[in-house]
Amino acid sequence: MVAINRKRKAVTRDVAEDPIAAPGDEFTGGDLEGVLSQSEDESYHSGSNSEEELEEEEDEVDGEGDDSELEEDLEVSEDDDEDIREQMRNLQTSNPPPSHTNGTNGDLQNGQDFSDNDLDRFEDDSPNYTVTTDANGNTRYIYKEIDPVYDSDDSDAAAGVNTIGDIPLSFYDSYPHIGYDINGKKIMRPAKGAALDSLLDSIEFPKGWTGLTDPATGKPLNLSREELEILKKVTRNELPEEGYDPYPDMIEYFSGKLEVMPLSAAPEPKRRFVPSKHEAKRVMKIVKAIREGRIKPYTPPVEQENEDPELINYDIWADEVPRPDHIMNIPAPKLPPPGYADSYHPPPEYLPDQQEKAAWDSTDPEDRDKEYLPTDFGALRKVPGYDNVKMTFERCLDLYLAPRVRRSKLNIDPESLLPKLPSPDELRPFPTVCANIFRDHQGRVRSVSVDPTGTLVASGADDGYVRVWEMLTGRQLWNKKLSDDEAVDVVTWRPSKDTAIIAAAAGETVYFTIPFGLHTVNPEIEQASREVLDSGFGYQANKPTTETNINKEPTATWSRPSTSLTNDGVLLTASVRSTIKVITWHRRGDYFATVSPKGQSHAVAIHTLSKHLTQLPFRKLKGLAQTAQFHPSKPIFFVATQRNIRSYDLSAQTLLKIMQPGARWISSIDVHPGGDNLIVGSYDRRLLWHDMDLSTKPYKTLRYHQKAIRAVKFHQGGLPLFADASDDGSLQIFHGKVVGDLMENATIVPLKVLRGHVEKGALGVLGLDWHPRHPWCVSAGADGSCRVWC
Amino acid sequence: MPRIKKKGQSGAAKNFITRTQAVRKLQVSLPDFRRLCIFKGIYPREPRNKKKVSKRATPSTTFYYTKDIQYLLHEPLLNKFRDHKALAKKIGKALGRGEVGDAARLEKSKPRMRLDHIIKERYPTFIDALRDLDDALSMLFLFANLPSTTHIPPQTIALCQRLCLEFEHYLIVTNSLKKSFLSIKGIYYQATIQGQDILWLVPYKFVQRMTGDIDFRIMGTFIEFYTTLLGFTNYRLYTSIGLVYPPKFDSASDERGAELGAITLEGKSISATPIVANGFEGDDNPTRAIDAQAEADKVAHLQENEEEAGENDQPEWEPEEGNDAIDTFEPVATQDADILPQPQFSSSEAATLFSDLTFFLSRETPRAPLEFILKAFGCKRVGWDLVLGEGSFTSDEKDPSITHQLVDRPNLPANAFPDVPIETDVGNLVKKSASRVPGRTYVQPQWVWDCINQGKLLRPDLYAPGATLPPHLSPWVKPKQGQYDPTAPLAEQEREGEADLHQEELEVEDEAMEGAGLAVQPVDQPDMDALLDQSDVEAGQGMQIDGSDSSGEEDSDAEDQRPDWSAGSADSDVELSDSEQQRLEYQRELEAEAKGLPAPKADSSKKSGKKVVSEARKKADKKRKEQEEELERQRMMLPNRKRKLFDKMQYGNAKKDAEAEALRKKKRKLEKGEKIKGVA
């Protein structure tokens, strides 16, 4: 540090101070003594320039590193004090320790023995010879022996003293020496007059005492007053040197003053006294620009505080052009206007009662449909504040945050959804009440049929009886037991007004009966009926028997029954191979078809009454035949199997259509008198309406029954009615209007549920029939009764 | 082979964009995006199928319409936002360096945002703007009453106040305020401007609660937009009636609480003098404006009528000069012609409703809404106590020209003030409380609201101070079939047999109450007080000493109205039919029973009454059953989908019906309570 300071001093000195100043003045201080003494080869008194010397020293510093240098310097600087102490010690203790000398001394380095302390510093100055007189008496210079070491004559070599390097001195604490010199000789620890020193220390604080130990020498490190001063200045951020001016006045060499000796002899250039053309040009350019208005002179910005920026001073809609709203734009819905309950003084009925209040209190605030309870404040002054800020904030959130969706609001009257049903007046008449009950049958009544005139009802039951009733009075007019062991499954009247023939099926046999003795059956009708039944016998006889017929078993046997039966009017029987379940007549009454579901290839048979002829149109039928029906006007025959209904053209003998009602098991079908529509009843509780022009699938599927549907029937006499009978004991009457227009679909309206039959053995109503003209219908129940509904 | 379509490349997936995507696309921060959305009126959509729209498995995000976001890309405001951001950075930097001067300079050079183009864009026509004014007005009126906080600078509040006052002035000048309603939340107003109905809410003057969960930055953005909107609207409205905009705003008088009086309107022509000062007639200038407004309203009404009329042949209508009233059309033959509805309430009527009256507002009444509403309905002279602020017609309560005083304080007993004997012109001495000025009508504030909603001056005695007021009803509820209407008598609305049912239920309840040893308490006693009050006030009316002309007219009006009032009550008496009487009788018996008295002689009648009730009930049951059957029959014919829809709608209707029925039931109970009290 000292070295650096010195350097600065040196550098500044050659600028600031007189370069010719005598160097000797500076080096009078004792502090420099030691420094110079380091280089022993340099003679102290040589007139060499102090600058050079300092530079040398700098080099040294560079070579050795800062720490050691510092230590050395410090050590050196306290030599004076040391001397004094040593002198004191010498005074008191006459024999000083042998190796007491300062390690920096050249004597030590040379390894010579020197006991003289006083002279050790100036030893170098003394000639290295002793003058003796030789034998001749002449002075003789005896030179000291030169120790031929490596650097004995090296003037540049650093005066290395302790060579232990950069290790703490404490390593040598347990040794008498503190290191080794360049020659490998021990540097002995300086003696410490411990007791004396401590005494001295206690008496007075040594000057320049720092409490540190010089690592190189092992002596206490003391600083001189000047050094302390320098340190103090350094710590205060002051310049260490006294009187140094860091900012001297500038010496103006090139001043405007005319010197006697000018620095340059060049003549003054022209530009010094002629105004610049270029500048004038530029100025003119600006002037021109200002004149033209290209450059605007600077004006301080107008204070805009006075002017209200929010002030609106023009009509934004001055040229308004209506623009159609974007198709995707959904304007925010307006808040609904307040209702009566929002009033500050609502009608008393709007105020909540205790229950409502409790309910409101108990619900979560989020779940409430209103944020407040209607309250009656009575007077305007009593109305408290409301949290309008929150309300408005929520509205704001709704406006910008709520996803908007266009909902097609069902602002329609629910009534309008309901189909436009014809008014009940238009639908009338239809059967509504039970008018008559016919009770005489034992067992289930399987089938009923109304005669073509509409006065009589025939019924057949499990007891084997066929009974004829008068429809209006309910009087039993006629009965006949057809079979003892077989139930009468079907009873039908032949569809002709001029005859009165009942076809009833019991087991495999169809019995054709003319109920004698009825008031309706007058002799003419009886005669006509007999003729119809008997005409076939002649034909049968006349008919040439073909070979095929001989070989085969006849499909049906037509015969006259026993006399007991003929006496009661049963004039003809026709037997097929298996039990007949359905008989359907052709509209003319000449043909009829029987269906016996278990008959396999004989299931469906078409009989010709006038010829006593039986044909089996289907050699093989897919599925079990359930029922069959003739088309009311065309030569078309419908056969229903379990799942499908097939229609055949009888004249062309082709299959026309296969209808798939989708029911599991068809129970019955009926064809609309118009011929284009068909209703199908099924055991899986469905009633299906087929529009045959429309599709093979049903037009409507009606499922109103709890149990299987047994029978379906259209009204044949011009009224748009149809009915179905079900095992749940009810009949349902529908309005089914078919319009001639092809574009319009049929209107189907449920009209009435007729209940009355008692369910018996999981069976309810087994058969039904309509009156040929009136809206009356007859049903046959499993409870053994028939009911007339009108 | 057709090209294979990739998922998410077309259709709904392209049409919608999530919020995060939108923010990324616009390269703005989320708050900026929010502001932009508020300014531009862009809102999230609900796609029809969320799953098709979202590319991720969780479809629970908000979606914006992609086109909307694309429009935003070209928005000039977006650049302004970026400039602001850059500037904010500069200011932050300057402040960080401690260069306060620089920061101030930068702050000053902040680019100002104008929303004009957005107003024009969102509302291409003035009508569009009017249509969207509801929310704007509600919010501005709210903010005009808010205290200034760190979030709401006082300038904003002052601006809101000024704009609201300007708007109110327009309504006063054109008499376009139509209805008003005192609700729990505040006062609702409805005005009709150029055929557009505008409904807004003004909160009562209380210090609003500013709870922590309210984001005032969002509200501030809305306010910024709405102030601009209302500014332009006001400009247009003022210029359309020939007034100068902005009107002169006297901040000094505003500080003294003049409110409406702080603004002075000026006509556009040079000769025009300031108009509409309290108590002074304005010059002719605004009347033209009023005419124009009336004309516009009329045209709007006519258009509506035309729409309603449909194909009916329009009668020839030629407007006569100087007569802006709509002619009434009398149909010649009522059989084969429809009768078109005509508007009954025109602005000219609104202008004259209170025009002859002079009002004085007592200290306890809310001055601002009353002043506004009275002036909007033609009142020229409104006075109030000086504590309510400046600008009153008179602050002297004893001013003889005052005809009506609005009082909202309980009626103090007569001995609260020393009695002053006053001699009427008839000559009889009537003791009167000193606080009352004779010849003046004292009413509660609700009277004003009920008058304007009904379009005529109502009987003031029902609204006398301290009286139990008639219920205040919302003018916007249209009576609907099947819904409860408190104005109509109960008998007209209830379903058949409902009354009897309720009756029986009530009886059951009563019996239960009696069984528990509880007596049916009359609700309370205010009615009696009210009756007393009424008589008191009527006496006051009878003794007019120095009633001015206007008050005389008012009185005659009241007299005019009285007969039909009584006629109404007579009608109601007539309506008290047999069954009603039976019920009454039955009621009486019940009470007798409750008191432990022997039942009055009408024992047989009681039985017969019960029989009638049960019979009626049976009949009603039967009818209902029939109807239900019919409905069920029809329902059966519906396809499954439609049937579900039908059931849903039926559910909604049933809910409404149940509400209405509950109200009717309550009403009946109340009536019954009154009857009991009457008998007692």
Side-chain angles (χ1 to χ4, degrees):
Chain A
M1 201 178 285
V2 177
I4 289 165
N5 286 340
R6 281 218 187 98
K7 184 188 169 190
R8 184 179 279 174
K9 210 187 286 172
V11 170
T12 49
R13 196 181 295 135
D14 57 296
V15 184
E17 287 187 5
D18 198 356
I20 336 163
D25 306 342
E26 284 186 75
F27 298 102
T28 49
D31 57 331
L32 280 173
E33 235 173 339
V35 175
L36 292 172
S37 69
Q38 278 186 343
S39 53
E40 62 173 351
D41 298 314
E42 248 175 69
S43 81
Y44 179 66
H45 293 293
S46 68
S48 66
N49 198 349
S50 66
E51 281 182 35
E52 280 174 31
E53 188 190 313
L54 283 166
E55 275 166 12
E56 269 176 15
E57 193 190 271
E58 247 176 53
D59 291 346
E60 222 173 50
V61 167
D62 291 343
E64 277 187 14
D66 282 339
D67 291 343
S68 60
E69 184 215 348
L70 179 68
E71 284 162 9
E72 283 167 41
D73 284 353
L74 289 173
E75 191 185 311
V76 165
S77 62
E78 63 188 274
D79 274 355
D80 279 7
D81 302 333
E82 201 60 40
D83 286 350
I84 294 161
R85 285 192 174 199
E86 274 169 23
Q87 280 168 15
M88 281 175 72
R89 280 186 203 115
N90 289 343
L91 281 175
Q92 285 148 8
T93 57
S94 52
N95 47 343
S99 60
H100 169 259
T101 42
N102 194 338
T104 53
N105 282 343
D107 305 337
L108 235 169
Q109 192 186 29
N110 289 335
Q112 287 177 353
D113 183 32
F114 50 93
S115 55
D116 196 351
N117 287 324
D118 293 344
L119 291 174
D120 62 347
R121 208 161 307 133
F122 299 102
E123 211 173 25
D124 292 328
D125 296 336
S126 67
N128 52 353
Y129 56 84
T130 45
V131 183
T132 51
T133 41
D134 57 1
N136 295 331
N138 296 332
T139 51
R140 183 190 170 191
Y141 297 94
I142 299 168
Y143 289 91
K144 280 178 186 170
E145 195 184 357
I146 294 169
D147 192 10
V149 292
Y150 171 73
D151 55 352
S152 56
D153 56 350
D154 190 2
S155 62
D156 291 334
V161 272
N162 200 347
T163 57
I164 55 169
D166 192 15
I167 59 165
L169 210 57
S170 58
F171 285 12
Y172 289 89
D173 278 351
S174 56
Y175 299 102
H177 60 279
I178 55 162
Y180 304 91
D181 66 3
I182 194 90
N183 294 319
K185 293 198 173 135
K186 285 178 181 169
I187 301 172
M188 300 312 287
R189 186 182 298 278
K192 283 184 182 171
L196 188 65
D197 277 353
S198 59
L199 176 72
L200 282 174
D201 287 348
S202 65
I203 290 166
E204 76 168 324
F205 223 77
K207 210 176 177 195
W209 181 85
T210 58
L212 298 171
T213 311
D214 188 352
T217 59
K219 285 183 188 171
L221 179 64
N222 284 358
L223 295 178
S224 68
R225 196 175 47 78
E226 287 80 10
E227 280 170 334
L228 281 172
E229 199 62 33
I230 286 169
L231 277 178
K232 202 196 264 177
K233 280 188 176 173
V234 165
T235 51
R236 281 182 193 158
N237 258 347
E238 288 172 9
L239 287 172
E241 196 182 344
E242 202 89 47
Y244 172 69
D245 183 11
Y247 307 110
D249 290 334
M250 194 174 77
I251 301 157
E252 292 188 335
Y253 296 110
F254 300 99
S255 63
K257 251 193 284 175
L258 199 67
E259 302 286 337
V260 181
M261 291 288 279
L263 289 170
S264 163
E268 288 262 322
K270 192 183 175 184
R271 62 174 177 273
R272 295 266 167 84
F273 46 88
V274 176
S276 163
K277 269 189 177 172
H278 176 254
E279 228 169 58
K281 223 170 159 183
R282 284 190 64 99
V283 168
M284 276 321 291
K285 222 174 183 176
I286 292 166
V287 167
K288 206 177 165 197
I290 290 172
R291 275 187 193 146
E292 285 175 359
R294 275 185 284 121
I295 295 175
K296 292 210 173 74
Y298 172 76
T299 46
V302 187
E303 284 293 308
Q304 293 193 337
E305 292 303 308
N306 306 337
E307 199 181 317
D308 189 2
E310 307 290 344
L311 203 66
I312 279 148
N313 48 12
Y314 72 101
D315 186 2
I316 202 166
W317 292 289
D319 49 347
E320 58 183 10
V321 182
R323 187 187 61 198
D325 206 5
H326 192 269
I327 200 163
M328 287 295 282
N329 187 31
I330 308 166
K334 287 189 172 190
L335 287 174
Y340 294 133
D342 296 291
S343 173
Y344 86 102
H345 179 49
E349 55 267 28
Y350 282 91
L351 298 174
D353 53 19
Q354 293 294 332
Q355 284 175 352
E356 283 167 337
K357 254 183 205 163
W360 193 83
D361 283 334
S362 62
T363 46
D364 197 59
E366 283 177 4
D367 298 336
R368 290 171 185 162
D369 49 353
K370 250 183 195 172
E371 302 104 77
Y372 56 88
L373 273 179
T375 322
D376 188 4
F377 293 108
L380 194 55
R381 66 171 186 280
K382 293 178 188 164
V383 184
Y386 187 80
D387 199 354
N388 293 80
V389 175
K390 196 172 171 227
M391 193 180 70
T392 314
F393 178 62
E394 271 160 15
R395 172 70 177 165
C396 286
L397 288 187
D398 280 351
L399 281 178
Y400 94 96
L401 214 55
R404 292 187 200 165
V405 64
R406 204 187 289 276
R407 271 198 214 296
S408 50
K409 199 178 173 192
L410 285 172
N411 197 12
I412 46 171
D413 185 19
E415 303 294 327
S416 68
L417 262 184
L418 295 171
K420 283 279 169 292
L421 296 181
S423 75
D425 295 334
E426 280 175 44
L427 299 173
R428 277 188 199 118
F430 53 84
T432 51
V433 289
C434 180
N436 257 328
I437 305 177
F438 310 150
R439 294 181 210 270
D440 208 8
H441 280 295
Q442 313 295 318
R444 304 173 186 127
V445 184
R446 287 278 176 184
S447 170
V448 285
S449 180
V450 183
D451 88 312
T453 58
T455 51
L456 304 174
V457 176
S459 64
D462 275 0
D463 55 0
Y465 274 98
V466 172
R467 294 170 200 270
V468 175
W469 319 75
E470 194 171 38
M471 192 167 192
L472 292 176
T473 58
R475 196 158 61 91
Q476 189 175 332
L477 298 176
W478 181 89
N479 63 48
K480 178 68 200 160
K481 187 161 186 159
L482 293 180
S483 161
D484 286 333
D485 46 353
E486 304 269 11
V488 177
D489 278 325
V490 201
V491 175
T492 50
W493 290 88
R494 180 172 179 266
S496 158
K497 280 182 186 171
D498 43 2
T499 60
I501 299 170
I502 299 168
E508 296 108 40
T509 316
V510 184
Y511 299 88
F512 293 92
T513 313
I514 303 167
F516 295 141
L518 297 184
H519 63 281
T520 50
V521 184
N522 51 31
E524 289 150 34
I525 286 176
E526 195 186 318
Q527 189 56 39
S529 307
R530 271 177 187 281
E531 275 171 18
V532 166
L533 290 180
D534 292 344
S535 62
F537 285 113
Y539 184 84
Q540 185 86 347
N542 296 340
K543 205 185 87 179
T545 47
T546 53
E547 284 179 15
T548 50
N549 274 358
I550 295 161
N551 294 346
K552 273 189 179 174
E553 196 189 337
T555 50
T557 48
W558 296 75
S559 59
R560 178 103 44 203
S562 61
T563 47
S564 64
L565 286 173
T566 36
N567 289 344
D568 280 339
V570 183
L571 296 178
L572 184 67
T573 57
S575 302
V576 294
R577 289 190 193 163
S578 57
T579 315
I580 292 168
K581 291 287 181 190
V582 175
I583 300 172
T584 55
W585 286 93
H586 187 254
R587 66 182 181 283
R588 288 209 199 100
D590 195 15
Y591 301 101
F592 68 92
T594 58
V595 179
S596 32
K598 288 173 186 161
Q600 288 156 359
S601 65
H602 294 266
V604 183
I606 297 177
H607 310 268
T608 316
L609 187 61
S610 58
K611 294 173 182 170
H612 290 188
L613 184 70
T614 301
Q615 291 162 292
L616 300 173
F618 310 111
R619 200 154 300 145
K620 208 178 153 197
L621 208 58
K622 272 183 191 168
L624 293 176
Q626 293 297 313
T627 177
Q629 186 94 26
F630 285 99
H631 190 277
S633 53
K634 289 177 191 159
I636 294 172
F637 187 60
F638 298 91
V639 177
T641 58
Q642 247 177 319
R643 301 237 172 164
N644 301 332
I645 300 159
R646 289 149 200 268
S647 64
Y648 297 93
D649 192 337
L650 288 176
S651 56
Q653 302 199 332
T654 51
L655 174 69
L656 287 178
K657 239 176 220 170
I658 304 175
M659 272 156 289
Q660 288 157 326
R664 296 271 174 76
W665 197 311
I666 293 168
S667 64
S668 58
I669 61 169
D670 196 21
V671 183
H672 189 265
D676 286 338
N677 295 281
L678 185 77
I679 47 171
V680 181
S682 78
Y683 290 116
D684 53 352
R685 293 172 290 178
R686 277 185 243 196
L687 177 63
L688 307 125
W689 177 289
H690 268 279
D691 192 333
M692 284 184 272
D693 294 334
L694 214 61
S695 155
T696 58
K697 298 273 186 309
Y699 159 59
K700 287 275 188 236
T701 306
L702 315 172
R703 310 179 69 157
Y704 299 133
H705 276 297
Q706 309 295 324
K707 289 189 174 175
I709 293 172
R710 290 269 165 187
V712 289
K713 210 81 174 171
F714 272 114
H715 192 277
Q716 300 289 337
L719 289 171
L721 293 172
F722 66 94
D724 63 347
S726 163
D727 273 347
D728 58 7
S730 69
L731 281 90
Q732 288 185 347
I733 312 294
F734 295 87
H735 170 93
K737 190 165 199 175
V738 177
V739 190
D741 185 8
L742 282 175
M743 297 304 292
E744 205 170 324
N745 286 328
T747 324
I748 306 170
V749 185
L751 291 177
K752 195 75 190 168
V753 181
L754 302 174
R755 293 176 211 279
H757 282 291
V758 182
E759 218 175 306
K760 206 168 185 184
L763 294 175
V765 188
L766 299 176
L768 92 144
D769 199 12
W770 285 96
H771 189 274
R773 291 181 307 280
H774 294 298
W776 303 339
C777 82
V778 187
S779 61
D783 54 352
S785 71
C786 297
R787 282 168 189 257
V788 177
W789 310 86
C790 50
Chain B
M1 189 184 155
R3 189 175 264 187
I4 295 166
K5 269 193 175 178
K6 265 191 183 173
K7 203 186 165 195
Q9 300 282 316
S10 63
K14 270 254 180 236
N15 281 342
F16 293 98
I17 185 171
T18 63
R19 193 182 65 174
T20 323
Q21 284 171 329
V23 169
R24 282 223 185 114
K25 187 166 189 175
L26 294 174
Q27 300 184 3
V28 288
S29 63
L30 194 57
D32 274 352
F33 177 71
R34 195 166 55 199
R35 271 163 68 81
L36 206 57
C37 284
I38 290 170
F39 285 143
K40 295 280 282 182
I42 284 167
Y43 43 86
R45 316 280 180 134
E46 187 83 8
R48 214 172 276 160
N49 189 342
K50 271 197 168 180
K51 228 174 196 164
K52 274 185 189 165
V53 171
S54 67
K55 279 125 202 156
R56 251 165 253 133
T58 47
S60 58
T61 32
T62 48
F63 293 99
Y64 286 86
Y65 191 49
T66 312
K67 281 277 169 63
D68 281 347
I69 304 300
Q70 270 174 352
Y71 292 143
L72 281 186
L73 277 174
H74 310 292
E75 177 55 45
L77 275 187
L78 210 56
N79 286 330
K80 276 273 158 56
F81 285 164
R82 291 188 182 126
D83 290 350
H84 269 268
K85 200 175 160 191
L87 198 71
K89 267 186 193 165
K90 280 181 196 166
I91 292 172
K93 227 180 253 175
L95 285 175
R97 286 200 214 104
E99 293 162 350
V100 184
D102 263 9
R105 180 179 55 76
L106 287 168
E107 180 77 39
K108 219 177 250 177
S109 70
K110 211 173 197 175
R112 189 162 275 291
M113 251 188 340
R114 299 293 308 213
L115 301 175
D116 304 12
H117 67 282
I118 290 181
I119 301 277
K120 179 78 181 168
E121 193 182 284
R122 280 181 69 172
Y123 308 111
T125 59
F126 183 52
I127 296 288
D128 295 333
L130 288 178
R131 208 172 286 156
D132 220 11
L133 217 53
D134 288 23
D135 287 318
L137 284 173
S138 294
M139 196 149 176
L140 291 178
F141 270 100
L142 171 69
F143 268 68
N145 280 338
L146 285 188
S148 73
T149 59
T150 47
H151 304 291
I152 322 160
Q155 294 94 334
T156 307
I157 287 166
L159 180 66
C160 290
Q161 279 167 347
R162 189 170 60 78
L163 287 172
C164 290
L165 289 178
E166 284 166 8
F167 187 71
E168 282 185 345
H169 264 293
Y170 171 80
L171 295 179
I172 289 169
V173 169
T174 57
N175 298 114
S176 28
L177 191 69
K178 291 288 173 267
K179 282 164 185 170
S180 183
F181 176 59
L182 297 164
S183 87
I184 292 178
K185 295 175 183 174
I187 304 171
Y188 282 91
Y189 295 97
Q190 190 188 35
T192 307
I193 302 173
Q194 303 196 359
Q196 294 295 325
D197 285 340
I198 303 166
L199 178 75
W200 72 98
L201 172 70
V202 180
Y204 293 117
K205 283 223 168 179
F206 284 104
V207 176
Q208 289 288 341
R209 229 176 40 168
M210 321 269 256
T211 41
D213 55 345
I214 286 166
D215 190 353
F216 276 94
R217 284 173 304 173
I218 293 171
M219 305 257 271
T221 314
F222 271 101
I223 279 291
E224 207 175 337
F225 179 73
Y226 284 152
T227 45
T228 319
L229 172 63
L230 190 62
F232 278 115
T233 312
N234 279 350
Y235 185 91
R236 171 82 175 202
L237 290 174
Y238 271 64
T239 45
S240 71
I241 58 168
L243 294 176
V244 173
Y245 188 85
K248 267 184 193 160
F249 183 71
D250 187 359
S251 54
S253 77
D254 185 50
E255 274 166 19
R256 290 194 296 271
E259 296 192 2
L260 274 176
I263 284 180
T264 320
L265 303 185
E266 272 179 301
K268 254 185 187 159
S269 53
I270 307 149
S271 63
T273 49
I275 46 175
V276 194
N278 197 358
F280 302 100
E281 294 284 335
D283 70 350
D284 293 354
N285 206 11
T287 52
R288 183 161 52 84
I290 295 163
D291 288 348
Q293 177 65 37
E295 205 77 14
D297 285 356
K298 204 163 58 187
V299 169
H301 274 299
L302 270 176
Q303 279 170 350
E304 279 172 28
N305 288 346
E306 273 170 7
E307 282 165 15
E308 282 169 24
E311 73 267 359
N312 290 322
D313 40 349
Q314 191 70 26
E316 280 183 18
W317 183 76
E318 283 178 5
E320 289 170 20
E321 300 253 313
N323 180 17
D324 62 347
I326 298 176
D327 293 331
T328 47
F329 291 89
E330 294 296 335
V332 182
T334 43
Q335 271 94 17
D336 44 296
D338 290 327
I339 298 164
L340 305 180
Q342 283 188 302
Q344 278 126 33
F345 195 62
S346 74
S347 64
S348 60
E349 257 175 79
T352 55
L353 186 63
F354 295 133
S355 60
D356 301 329
L357 311 180
T358 307
F359 283 91
F360 188 82
L361 314 180
S362 291
R363 278 177 305 171
E364 68 279 4
T365 53
R367 175 212 142 189
L370 277 171
E371 185 195 0
F372 165 58
I373 212 165
L374 288 172
K375 284 184 174 173
F377 280 87
C379 182
K380 295 281 187 293
R381 298 172 297 275
V382 186
W384 55 80
D385 201 289
L386 267 186
V387 293
L388 291 177
E390 207 192 45
S392 77
F393 163 64
T394 172
S395 57
D396 180 17
E397 201 177 336
K398 300 278 186 300
D399 195 314
S401 63
I402 295 168
T403 60
H404 285 69
Q405 180 161 356
L406 297 175
V407 183
D408 192 8
R409 56 180 92 171
N411 212 18
L412 291 170
N415 56 5
F417 299 100
D419 289 347
V420 178
I422 295 161
E423 201 168 341
T424 58
D425 43 1
V426 186
N428 51 348
L429 273 170
V430 178
K431 283 186 178 173
K432 193 63 200 145
S433 145
S435 62
R436 294 280 163 85
V437 176
R440 189 184 288 182
T441 316
Y442 286 85
V443 282
Q444 293 196 39
Q446 194 193 322
W447 180 76
V448 176
W449 270 271
D450 284 354
C451 281
I452 63 162
N453 286 342
Q454 296 193 24
K456 62 182 180 194
L457 295 178
L458 297 173
R459 244 169 58 152
D461 58 327
L462 293 174
Y463 297 88
T468 305
L469 294 167
H472 184 54
L473 298 177
S474 165
W476 292 289
V477 181
K478 298 271 177 299
K480 236 186 238 173
Q481 186 65 38
Q483 285 188 7
Y484 178 67
D485 180 13
T487 53
L490 201 55
E492 280 178 20
Q493 328 183 29
E494 61 196 5
R495 279 182 291 145
E496 252 179 277
E498 192 186 282
D500 303 323
L501 259 177
H502 284 176
Q503 188 72 24
E504 279 175 27
E505 277 173 32
L506 283 179
E507 276 162 26
V508 169
E509 274 175 33
D510 285 354
E511 276 163 26
M513 295 260 279
E514 278 166 31
L518 291 168
V520 183
Q521 290 282 338
V523 187
D524 34 26
Q525 298 290 76
D527 282 23
M528 292 305 287
D529 299 352
L531 277 174
L532 287 174
D533 287 344
Q534 278 173 25
S535 59
D536 202 4
V537 170
E538 267 165 358
Q541 271 189 336
M543 39 130 232
Q544 284 180 358
I545 306 159
D546 51 355
S548 60
D549 294 344
S550 57
S551 71
E553 273 174 29
E554 194 279 322
D555 197 45
S556 67
D557 277 353
E559 271 169 5
D560 285 350
Q561 282 158 11
R562 217 161 288 158
D564 70 39
W565 191 272
S566 59
S569 62
D571 283 348
S572 65
D573 282 343
V574 169
E575 275 168 13
L576 216 74
S577 62
D578 293 359
S579 65
E580 199 87 321
Q581 256 164 358
Q582 275 174 351
R583 211 183 302 147
L584 266 175
E585 230 168 66
Y586 181 56
Q587 194 51 54
R588 241 168 259 149
E589 285 158 29
L590 275 179
E591 280 151 27
E593 263 182 30
K595 282 171 193 162
L597 295 171
K601 39 138 185 144
D603 211 358
S604 60
S605 73
K606 174 186 171 184
K607 266 183 193 165
S608 73
K610 210 158 203 175
K611 212 188 211 172
V612 164
V613 165
S614 61
E615 229 166 67
R617 190 178 180 184
K618 225 183 249 172
K619 210 186 258 174
D621 276 353
K622 198 181 169 192
K623 198 170 182 190
R624 200 175 308 135
K625 211 172 176 184
E626 265 175 22
Q627 275 175 347
E628 271 169 18
E629 217 168 72
E630 171 75 16
L631 194 73
E632 187 59 23
R633 207 162 56 77
Q634 285 179 317
R635 229 188 106 237
M636 283 204 300
M637 290 310 292
L638 286 174
N640 213 5
R641 200 161 46 88
K642 271 193 182 170
R643 196 182 305 160
K644 270 179 195 163
L645 187 69
F646 176 79
D647 288 347
K648 218 185 275 174
M649 284 192 291
Q650 284 290 82
Y651 171 78
N653 285 5
K655 210 172 164 188
K656 269 181 204 160
D657 284 350
E659 266 170 29
E661 196 179 331
L663 285 172
R664 284 197 292 264
K665 201 171 162 186
K666 267 190 200 169
K667 172 87 175 177
R668 189 164 296 110
K669 206 171 178 181
L670 286 167
E671 275 181 2
K672 192 185 156 194
E674 273 169 28
K675 253 177 220 163
I676 290 172
K677 214 163 54 186
V679 169

